Amino acid sequence: MKVFRGLSGIVAGGTVVLAVTVAGAACIGARRGFPGPGGESVTWHVAAALAVVAAQVYSDRRQGFAAFFGCLVVFGIAGYLLWAQWWN
């Protein structure tokens, strides 16, 4: 279970880094006058990052099926974010 929680922690951290990167690109784009990610994309990324961190903290503080479920939530939210905002 530690490996699974570790992998979900890496995914959670990557989601946070991605959200910061998208928000930074939006700010730089707005300042320099070139198109960047819009407000909707930034909102999706920040909301997903907050939800993933909450699920990871929940998973880290539980044991058994509850921890496993928290990890699945992390993977599900991160996967949906990538699918909806990057691949689709």
Side-chain angles (χ1 to χ4, degrees), residues 2 20 22 26 35 40-41 47 63 67 70 72 75-77:
K2 286 184 180 183
V20 170
V22 169
E40 181 181 358
S41 183
Q63 293 181 4
L72 287 180
F75 291 130
I77 292 172

Side-chain angles (χ1 to χ4, degrees), residues 11-82:
V11 170
T15 305
V16 170
V17 169
L18 184 62
V20 170
T21 303
V22 169
C27 289
I28 290 171
R31 285 185 182 175
R32 295 189 180 174
F34 66 86
E40 181 181 358
S41 183
V42 172
T43 302
W44 271 100
H45 282 81
V46 170
L50 291 172
V52 163
V53 167
Q56 184 63 38
V57 168
Y58 176 84
S59 177
D60 286 341
R61 294 182 180 177
R62 302 291 190 273
Q63 293 181 4
F65 182 74
F68 179 74
F69 180 72
C71 293
L72 287 180
V73 169
V74 169
F75 291 130
I77 292 172
Y80 182 75
L81 175 71
L82 290 175

